[in-house]
Amino acid sequence: MKAAIHYIRALLVAALATGAIASVVQTQLNLAELIRLGAPVTLSVRLWTTLEDLARFAPVMAGIAFLALSFAVLAGHWVLRFIPPSWRRLGFITASVCGLGFVFWLMRSVIPMPALPGTRTAVGHVLMSLTGIVGGWLYARLSAPSVMTARSSSRGGEWRQAGVVAVLIAAPAMLFFAMAPGTGDTPARVDSASYKVQTVATGLNRPWSVAFLPDGRVLVTEMQGRLLAIAADGASAQIKLDGLPPIFQQGGTAGLMEVALDPQFEHNGWLYLTMAYGEAGANGTRLVRATLANDRLDDVRVLFSSTLKPRAGNNGGRIAFLRDQTLVLALGDGSERREEAQNPANDLGTLVRIDREGHPPADNPFMGKTDVAPEIYSLGHRNVQGIAVDPTTGDLLITEHGARGGDEVNRIVPGANYGWPIVTGGIDYPFAKITPFTRLPGYQNALLEWTPSIAPAGLAIYDGPLFPQWQGDLLVPSLKERAVRRVVRNGQQIVGQQLLLGELDERMRDVKGAPDGSIYVLTDGVDAKLLRVMP
């Protein structure tokens, strides 16, 4: 028992020290990227950001280090049987560095989003792994036989060491919970007696988008590559996708996404689809146009293919038609190198504007500029998942996924920069700072921000006759909050929020206003539903 407590104490001290040093290293790597992008990182900003990460991220990193070092020290003790005692310290240091490096690699391989931003590059991965030197050295020193013998012989040593272990566990946990972001305010729910919900279809497999055909049927995309036409009675027909280019599909992360009809659909039959293309290590978002006739696609044409990215996440994929009938396509930052959202030479983390033949219009804001992709309409976006044109003003509005918080509603100004990842209200998934800045001159401020995240997955602006009190309000389906947010507006000013369909406790993927004024909602997942909301 005494020996076990001593070993656990040594391991905890090593993990806490490694977590603290790795936190400092990651913070400096992250700030270096922001400085490269032109962020005004002063010495005081650097110091405060480092301290904040030490309080909130270092305990998380210590937990990761504890896991890695546990396997490393077991390997080190096994190796001790084959090496001279003088090599003991070197053996634990080597095992700790290798253990951390392996765990970082494993996390990058199995977690869709970059789990630790400091390990995104080869240099960062090496530097973060080298923090194991301190952990290995401390464990070797504190678990040395001479130290163990001295502590075991001290009076009351066992209870004292148990108390030290308890403090080593409790202190970082308390610090983390003291610094962790709050739960936020939950808005009031719309009275469920004021509307009724009709289930139009069930058993949908990861549906993503809804569009309305003139014959009354509803088009629904499924991410694995199906396009369904669903009638009011729930009967569905599968649209034949002959001639469609190959779709890159990966679970609920990538696949067939948006479906939208051309503004002149009744005359030309044009339909637009977005989809992931490529492969796991090099994929992007593609926009195609086709003619829909007799429940099949003909004359399929690729209009746009985005810059390839090394991860399947953050694809964007929503489209909207402006009043001049050009279309805007949302593209995510690709999640691996979020700084690419500030690189105008590619189209990651941007909105792009093209005409219906796939060409950038002559009045695009960056047309004719060197080292800027001419199709870019705005930049500095993380992952736009909702896009709609205000029928009253013609304004283009978007909803955008943040990381852990920092979800946004934005009004798009052509040529403007929306700040990601230099400016955001969110933090990283492992609770580290993305940036110390929530606002900066030269970057557009959000109309509305949600922290903690609600995971907005779409956007509709209601303008139908069935809910006159909702005219002009935003409807935002949310995955994490498992409801549809009604963002109440007075003119263009946001004056309140309510929750719709929260009683269903379903992840919400898309929402669209139907021609008759009812509201269609897609739930998310492998057994999802198409719902119709009416008074």
Side-chain angles (χ1 to χ4, degrees):
M1 180 65 179
K2 289 181 180 180
I5 292 176
H6 289 315
Y7 283 123
I8 292 172
R9 173 186 175 274
L11 184 57
L12 282 171
V13 171
L16 289 172
T18 302
I21 295 172
S23 174
V24 172
V25 170
Q26 175 170 278
T27 302
Q28 308 320 306
L29 290 170
N30 192 43
L31 291 176
E33 291 283 2
L34 295 178
I35 292 170
R36 185 180 63 81
L37 295 175
V41 178
T42 62
L43 181 60
S44 61
V45 167
R46 182 185 296 274
L47 178 61
W48 181 250
T49 305
T50 302
L51 291 174
E52 192 171 344
D53 276 349
L54 277 170
R56 190 170 53 217
F57 168 66
V60 177
M61 185 62 232
I64 297 169
F66 183 85
L67 177 65
L69 295 181
S70 296
F71 291 103
V73 300
L74 286 174
H77 281 291
W78 180 80
V79 170
L80 284 178
R81 297 185 297 175
F82 308 102
I83 62 175
S86 59
W87 289 15
R88 183 177 186 279
R89 187 168 295 176
L90 179 61
F92 281 117
I93 289 173
T94 303
S96 298
V97 171
C98 292
L100 274 177
F102 173 76
V103 168
F104 292 155
W105 171 83
L106 189 64
M107 292 174 69
R108 283 172 49 82
S109 302
V110 302
I111 299 176
M113 297 297 178
L116 296 175
T119 66
R120 292 178 300 160
T121 65
V123 171
H125 193 136
V126 170
L127 290 174
M128 293 284 283
S129 301
L130 287 176
T131 62
I133 292 174
V134 174
W137 180 84
L138 275 172
Y139 181 84
R141 184 176 184 279
L142 295 174
S143 66
S146 59
V147 175
M148 300 281 283
T149 301
R151 293 190 181 278
S152 296
S153 61
S154 64
R155 194 168 189 180
E158 184 176 345
W159 288 105
R160 188 160 47 249
Q161 293 307 308
V164 170
V165 168
V167 170
L168 290 173
I169 294 173
M174 292 172 63
L175 190 61
F176 169 78
F177 285 113
M179 291 293 296
T183 58
D185 297 327
T186 301
R189 293 190 175 191
V190 177
D191 183 3
S192 58
S194 67
Y195 58 84
K196 64 179 179 179
V197 181
Q198 173 192 355
T199 301
V200 179
T202 61
L204 301 174
N205 187 1
R206 293 196 173 101
W208 209 86
S209 178
V210 171
F212 302 100
L213 290 171
D215 63 11
R217 294 184 298 167
V218 182
L219 291 175
V220 174
T221 56
E222 293 181 328
M223 294 196 78
Q224 83 276 17
R226 291 203 309 169
L227 177 61
L228 304 176
I230 302 175
D233 62 1
S236 67
Q238 188 169 338
I239 305 297
K240 295 181 180 179
L241 303 181
D242 300 339
L244 203 66
I247 299 171
F248 167 61
Q249 202 276 326
Q250 183 171 302
T253 306
L256 183 63
M257 295 180 289
E258 184 82 295
V259 57
L261 304 186
D262 190 89
Q264 303 297 321
F265 177 82
E266 295 193 47
H267 301 290
N268 56 32
W270 287 352
L271 173 147
Y272 300 81
L273 296 167
T274 65
M275 63 200 67
Y277 78 102
E279 56 190 25
N283 60 87
T285 299
R286 174 170 282 164
L287 172 67
V288 303
R289 189 191 75 199
T291 302
L292 176 63
N294 300 318
D295 286 354
R296 63 176 296 138
L297 297 186
D298 293 315
D299 191 25
V300 177
R301 178 177 175 183
V302 175
L303 296 185
F304 184 84
S305 298
S306 76
T307 304
L308 293 173
K309 51 193 178 61
R311 291 244 177 182
N314 290 12
N315 302 298
R318 297 287 187 191
I319 68 172
F321 289 92
L322 302 181
R323 283 181 168 178
D324 62 4
Q325 297 191 7
T326 59
L327 64 87
V328 176
L329 165 67
L331 299 171
D333 68 350
S335 79
E336 176 76 2
R337 286 285 300 160
R338 60 195 181 199
E339 292 79 13
E340 290 302 309
Q342 291 294 324
N343 180 4
N346 65 50
D347 46 49
L348 295 177
T350 69
L351 299 181
V352 299
R353 175 176 173 244
I354 57 177
D355 63 25
R356 292 182 295 165
E357 298 296 329
H359 307 301
D363 60 347
N364 262 5
F366 297 108
M367 180 63 75
K369 294 188 177 181
T370 58
D371 299 324
V372 181
E375 66 271 10
I376 291 178
Y377 196 58
S378 64
L379 69 158
H381 302 286
R382 182 177 182 270
N383 191 20
V384 174
Q385 288 283 277
I387 187 167
V389 174
D390 190 319
T392 303
T393 65
D395 288 342
L396 181 64
L397 301 179
I398 64 166
T399 57
E400 185 167 349
H401 271 289
R404 189 180 291 277
D407 299 341
E408 296 176 350
V409 175
N410 284 302
R411 182 178 68 85
I412 297 303
V413 176
N417 190 328
Y418 288 79
W420 175 259
I422 300 172
V423 177
T424 180
I427 59 176
D428 258 317
Y429 292 106
F431 296 94
K433 292 284 284 187
I434 296 169
T435 173
F437 307 108
T438 56
R439 293 194 173 195
L440 279 176
Y443 300 97
Q444 291 291 316
N445 296 325
L447 299 179
L448 178 64
E449 182 185 292
W450 292 294
T451 297
S453 173
I454 67 168
L459 174 64
I461 302 173
Y462 187 77
D463 66 342
L466 297 187
F467 295 93
Q469 70 276 25
W470 294 3
Q471 279 289 329
D473 291 348
L474 311 182
L475 300 175
V476 182
S478 63
L479 298 169
K480 184 177 179 181
E481 193 172 52
R482 306 173 77 88
V484 174
R485 281 235 178 183
R486 175 193 170 202
V487 179
V488 183
R489 296 198 299 172
N490 182 6
Q492 305 308 303
Q493 183 180 4
I494 294 172
V495 295
Q497 297 182 63
Q498 293 180 319
L499 291 185
L500 176 67
L501 302 179
E503 69 277 5
L504 301 181
D505 193 30
E506 297 264 12
R507 286 165 56 90
M508 304 296 178
R509 171 58 70 180
D510 193 21
V511 58
K512 296 281 171 57
D516 66 356
S518 62
I519 299 167
Y520 277 72
V521 178
L522 274 180
T523 66
D524 183 61
V526 294
D527 186 19
K529 305 179 184 72
L530 175 63
L531 307 175
R532 183 177 179 230
V533 181
M534 298 164 288

mmCIF file of all heavy atoms in Angstrom, residues 152-168:
data_model
loop_
_atom_site.group_PDB
_atom_site.id
_atom_site.type_symbol
_atom_site.label_atom_id
_atom_site.label_comp_id
_atom_site.label_asym_id
_atom_site.label_seq_id
_atom_site.Cartn_x
_atom_site.Cartn_y
_atom_site.Cartn_z
ATOM 1 N N SER A 152 9.101 6.047 3.313
ATOM 2 C CA SER A 152 8.431 4.943 3.992
ATOM 3 C C SER A 152 8.822 4.860 5.454
ATOM 4 O O SER A 152 8.032 4.452 6.307
ATOM 5 C CB SER A 152 8.763 3.616 3.290
ATOM 6 O OG SER A 152 8.248 3.622 1.985
ATOM 7 N N SER A 153 10.061 5.285 5.754
ATOM 8 C CA SER A 153 10.536 5.202 7.131
ATOM 9 C C SER A 153 10.079 6.385 7.980
ATOM 10 O O SER A 153 10.191 6.353 9.195
ATOM 11 C CB SER A 153 12.070 5.129 7.149
ATOM 12 O OG SER A 153 12.628 6.301 6.572
ATOM 13 N N SER A 154 9.554 7.441 7.351
ATOM 14 C CA SER A 154 9.112 8.603 8.105
ATOM 15 C C SER A 154 7.810 8.298 8.825
ATOM 16 O O SER A 154 6.953 7.563 8.321
ATOM 17 C CB SER A 154 8.929 9.817 7.187
ATOM 18 O OG SER A 154 7.907 9.570 6.261
ATOM 19 N N ARG A 155 7.669 8.867 10.017
ATOM 20 C CA ARG A 155 6.496 8.584 10.845
ATOM 21 C C ARG A 155 5.246 9.235 10.232
ATOM 22 O O ARG A 155 5.261 10.400 9.855
ATOM 23 C CB ARG A 155 6.729 9.134 12.243
ATOM 24 C CG ARG A 155 5.745 8.619 13.248
ATOM 25 C CD ARG A 155 6.208 8.955 14.638
ATOM 26 N NE ARG A 155 5.400 8.310 15.630
ATOM 27 C CZ ARG A 155 5.578 8.424 16.927
ATOM 28 N NH1 ARG A 155 6.583 9.160 17.373
ATOM 29 N NH2 ARG A 155 4.785 7.814 17.777
ATOM 30 N N GLY A 156 4.183 8.474 10.124
ATOM 31 C CA GLY A 156 2.947 8.999 9.533
ATOM 32 C C GLY A 156 3.059 9.268 8.046
ATOM 33 O O GLY A 156 2.215 9.950 7.476
ATOM 34 N N GLY A 157 4.105 8.742 7.421
ATOM 35 C CA GLY A 157 4.342 9.046 6.003
ATOM 36 C C GLY A 157 3.233 8.586 5.096
ATOM 37 O O GLY A 157 2.891 9.254 4.126
ATOM 38 N N GLU A 158 2.630 7.434 5.407
ATOM 39 C CA GLU A 158 1.584 6.904 4.527
ATOM 40 C C GLU A 158 0.385 7.834 4.463
ATOM 41 O O GLU A 158 -0.121 8.144 3.386
ATOM 42 C CB GLU A 158 1.178 5.529 5.023
ATOM 43 C CG GLU A 158 0.155 4.848 4.111
ATOM 44 C CD GLU A 158 -0.156 3.439 4.578
ATOM 45 O OE1 GLU A 158 0.600 2.889 5.398
ATOM 46 O OE2 GLU A 158 -1.172 2.891 4.105
ATOM 47 N N TRP A 159 -0.080 8.307 5.637
ATOM 48 C CA TRP A 159 -1.238 9.206 5.635
ATOM 49 C C TRP A 159 -0.887 10.554 5.017
ATOM 50 O O TRP A 159 -1.706 11.151 4.311
ATOM 51 C CB TRP A 159 -1.725 9.400 7.067
ATOM 52 C CG TRP A 159 -2.390 8.182 7.606
ATOM 53 C CD1 TRP A 159 -1.897 7.284 8.508
ATOM 54 C CD2 TRP A 159 -3.679 7.701 7.230
ATOM 55 N NE1 TRP A 159 -2.777 6.272 8.737
ATOM 56 C CE2 TRP A 159 -3.911 6.502 7.966
ATOM 57 C CE3 TRP A 159 -4.671 8.150 6.363
ATOM 58 C CZ2 TRP A 159 -5.079 5.761 7.848
ATOM 59 C CZ3 TRP A 159 -5.837 7.419 6.249
ATOM 60 C CH2 TRP A 159 -6.037 6.244 6.972
ATOM 61 N N ARG A 160 0.326 11.014 5.296
ATOM 62 C CA ARG A 160 0.736 12.290 4.716
ATOM 63 C C ARG A 160 0.778 12.204 3.196
ATOM 64 O O ARG A 160 0.328 13.108 2.493
ATOM 65 C CB ARG A 160 2.101 12.686 5.272
ATOM 66 C CG ARG A 160 2.525 14.099 4.872
ATOM 67 C CD ARG A 160 3.606 14.685 5.760
ATOM 68 N NE ARG A 160 4.704 13.749 5.977
ATOM 69 C CZ ARG A 160 4.971 13.166 7.144
ATOM 70 N NH1 ARG A 160 4.199 13.384 8.194
ATOM 71 N NH2 ARG A 160 6.001 12.337 7.277
ATOM 72 N N GLN A 161 1.306 11.104 2.678
ATOM 73 C CA GLN A 161 1.382 10.947 1.224
ATOM 74 C C GLN A 161 -0.014 10.798 0.609
ATOM 75 O O GLN A 161 -0.286 11.300 -0.481
ATOM 76 C CB GLN A 161 2.233 9.723 0.871
ATOM 77 C CG GLN A 161 3.700 9.878 1.228
ATOM 78 C CD GLN A 161 4.285 11.140 0.646
ATOM 79 O OE1 GLN A 161 4.157 11.398 -0.550
ATOM 80 N NE2 GLN A 161 4.917 11.949 1.490
ATOM 81 N N ALA A 162 -0.918 10.129 1.331
ATOM 82 C CA ALA A 162 -2.292 10.020 0.834
ATOM 83 C C ALA A 162 -2.950 11.391 0.765
ATOM 84 O O ALA A 162 -3.699 11.703 -0.180
ATOM 85 C CB ALA A 162 -3.108 9.091 1.736
ATOM 86 N N GLY A 163 -2.660 12.240 1.763
ATOM 87 C CA GLY A 163 -3.187 13.605 1.729
ATOM 88 C C GLY A 163 -2.628 14.406 0.576
ATOM 89 O O GLY A 163 -3.347 15.178 -0.077
ATOM 90 N N VAL A 164 -1.332 14.214 0.309
ATOM 91 C CA VAL A 164 -0.716 14.909 -0.833
ATOM 92 C C VAL A 164 -1.378 14.479 -2.135
ATOM 93 O O VAL A 164 -1.671 15.299 -3.016
ATOM 94 C CB VAL A 164 0.805 14.638 -0.865
ATOM 95 C CG1 VAL A 164 1.409 15.142 -2.163
ATOM 96 C CG2 VAL A 164 1.489 15.286 0.329
ATOM 97 N N VAL A 165 -1.627 13.191 -2.276
ATOM 98 C CA VAL A 165 -2.288 12.684 -3.492
ATOM 99 C C VAL A 165 -3.668 13.315 -3.657
ATOM 100 O O VAL A 165 -4.058 13.745 -4.752
ATOM 101 C CB VAL A 165 -2.390 11.143 -3.440
ATOM 102 C CG1 VAL A 165 -3.335 10.637 -4.529
ATOM 103 C CG2 VAL A 165 -1.023 10.517 -3.605
ATOM 104 N N ALA A 166 -4.411 13.402 -2.542
ATOM 105 C CA ALA A 166 -5.755 13.990 -2.610
ATOM 106 C C ALA A 166 -5.692 15.454 -3.045
ATOM 107 O O ALA A 166 -6.504 15.912 -3.868
ATOM 108 C CB ALA A 166 -6.445 13.868 -1.261
ATOM 109 N N VAL A 167 -4.728 16.197 -2.513
ATOM 110 C CA VAL A 167 -4.575 17.611 -2.887
ATOM 111 C C VAL A 167 -4.178 17.738 -4.347
ATOM 112 O O VAL A 167 -4.679 18.606 -5.075
ATOM 113 C CB VAL A 167 -3.540 18.287 -1.970
ATOM 114 C CG1 VAL A 167 -3.187 19.676 -2.497
ATOM 115 C CG2 VAL A 167 -4.071 18.382 -0.555
ATOM 116 N N LEU A 168 -3.274 16.866 -4.808
ATOM 117 C CA LEU A 168 -2.825 16.920 -6.199
ATOM 118 C C LEU A 168 -3.967 16.660 -7.177
ATOM 119 O O LEU A 168 -3.958 17.155 -8.305
ATOM 120 C CB LEU A 168 -1.701 15.909 -6.430
ATOM 121 C CG LEU A 168 -0.360 16.224 -5.760
ATOM 122 C CD1 LEU A 168 0.608 15.063 -5.933
ATOM 123 C CD2 LEU A 168 0.240 17.508 -6.338
#
